[in-house]
Amino acid sequence: EPRSPCCCLAWTLLIATMNCLVFLLNLLLMFVIFTIVLLPTIVVVYFGFQCHSQVLHSSARYCKSILDDNSSSALIILGFVIMSPLLVVAMAIYCSLARRLQLLVCFQPYSLALYKGGRWCRRGEGAPCCARACNTQLKAWV
């Protein structure tokens, strides 16, 4: 049975807000994981650029005594080389965590706003939410 226009608008706003919160949660989780995993790359590239005479040329003690232009260039190259495998590791960690928490299943369809009778439910496996029909076979991906 279709909802009234005012009720449909209220439900649409509620579902849109919930979907935006789930999206922001996914984005925050991805940002935290990528920051932690890519921290070695960030540090190595930062010190390489900081001590290179053509870029920032810091007057820090370690730049004068330990790192010259050649070693700074090596740090920059090393940082960009180790970035690729660390990106793969970060994406694998995020995907496994999103799958374990079933975050992609939390997005609600807008058909809940249009018709009465759709329901939200909780799955018995500890997931925070599930899709419209409470199907226990529902998966975000195989």
Side-chain angles (χ1 to χ4, degrees):
E1 177 181 345
R3 296 185 192 272
S4 68
C6 292
C7 187
C8 182
L9 179 64
W11 275 95
T12 302
L13 290 175
L14 178 72
I15 291 171
T17 303
M18 186 179 139
N19 285 344
C20 286
L21 288 175
V22 170
F23 173 75
L24 289 175
L25 177 70
N26 276 304
L27 200 64
L28 177 69
L29 181 67
M30 187 182 295
F31 176 76
V32 168
I33 290 172
F34 273 73
T35 301
I36 291 171
V37 172
L38 292 176
L39 192 60
T41 298
I42 294 168
V43 169
V44 167
V45 170
Y46 171 76
F47 281 118
F49 278 124
Q50 185 181 17
C51 294
H52 200 281
S53 66
Q54 298 293 323
V55 185
L56 294 178
H57 194 60
S58 175
S59 61
R61 184 173 158 209
Y62 56 86
C63 286
K64 292 179 180 179
S65 62
I66 299 173
L67 297 174
D68 59 353
D69 279 351
N70 291 333
S71 57
S72 295
S73 298
L75 280 179
I76 294 168
I77 293 169
L78 176 69
F80 284 113
V81 166
I82 65 173
M83 185 184 301
S84 296
L86 289 180
L87 280 172
V88 172
V89 168
M91 186 53 82
I93 291 171
Y94 168 73
C95 289
S96 67
L97 194 57
R99 184 176 182 182
R100 183 178 308 249
L101 297 175
Q102 296 181 355
L103 292 176
L104 300 177
V105 182
C106 291
F107 289 104
Q108 295 295 326
Y110 285 103
S111 61
L112 290 175
L114 299 176
Y115 298 103
K116 294 179 183 176
R119 62 183 190 261
W120 291 330
C121 61
R122 292 187 168 270
R123 290 178 65 174
E125 300 169 358
C129 56
C130 68
R132 181 174 182 212
C134 298
N135 185 1
T136 58
Q137 300 296 325
L138 182 66
K139 295 182 181 177
W141 57 81
V142 179

